[in-house]
Amino acid sequence: MRIDIWLGNGVMEGISLIYMSVCAVFDIRHREIPLPLILCGIAAAFGINIWWIMGGTVTVLETGIALLPGVFFLLTSFFTREKVGYGDGLLLIILGLLLGVYRCFFILSIGLVFSAAVSLFLLLLHRAGRHSRIPFAPFLILGMGVVFFG
């Protein structure tokens, strides 16, 4: 789809993987992702999408649909009083814009499965409790790895 038409050869995948890796490091170390880092990613993703729209590669509707996974996570953050972080939703908006809605949903699904498995493992070993928090960005990277290299 977008990736195949625009850059090909995995350049956009590589850029998004490096960006997500930096975000994951912050998420692991500080349990939050700096807002300037997220804002730069959103600005770049929207800029690239405007370029794609002007070039006729994607439509405005496709760009709007690509926002859905991130918007869903932002709403989940709001309604659960940040049990799911806002940063995760914003990262999914960036991924949706850069990689498309199908890849973003697939990455999200794989990330959720991996995080559930790790959470269950930690609960069984009594290393975590009901109110423990784990960073989600590393699981998005695992999902990206499965999608890109699997």
Side-chain angles (χ1 to χ4, degrees):
M1 296 212 271
R2 293 181 219 209
I3 303 305
D4 301 331
I5 295 171
W6 189 53
L7 283 175
N9 297 330
V11 174
M12 188 56 65
E13 288 96 340
I15 292 170
S16 60
L17 192 61
I18 291 169
Y19 174 78
M20 287 295 293
S21 298
V22 171
C23 291
V25 168
F26 279 104
D27 200 14
I28 290 169
R29 287 188 179 174
H30 305 289
R31 298 284 194 245
E32 67 179 27
I33 303 165
L35 186 60
L37 183 61
I38 290 178
L39 291 177
C40 287
I42 289 175
F46 272 108
I48 289 169
N49 268 269
I50 290 170
W51 180 268
W52 285 337
I53 290 169
M54 291 174 55
T57 305
V58 297
T59 64
V60 175
L61 180 64
E62 289 174 328
T63 299
I65 291 171
L67 298 172
L68 289 178
V71 169
F72 171 74
F73 246 63
L74 288 175
L75 288 173
T76 303
S77 297
F78 178 75
F79 287 118
T80 62
R81 297 184 186 140
E82 281 193 68
K83 298 289 183 194
V84 177
Y86 286 113
D88 300 324
L90 294 171
L91 287 178
L92 285 169
I93 285 176
I94 294 168
L95 287 179
L97 289 172
L98 293 178
L99 303 175
V101 70
Y102 297 116
R103 282 186 172 180
C104 187
F105 267 124
F106 197 52
I107 289 168
L108 173 60
S109 299
I110 293 169
L112 287 171
V113 168
F114 276 124
S115 68
V118 168
S119 298
L120 182 63
F121 182 72
L122 291 174
L123 285 170
L124 290 174
L125 293 179
H126 301 287
R127 297 276 186 182
R130 180 176 177 206
H131 299 289
S132 297
R133 299 182 70 163
I134 58 173
F136 188 63
F139 297 108
L140 288 177
I141 290 179
L142 285 172
M144 290 174 73
V146 171
V147 169
F148 297 158
F149 305 113

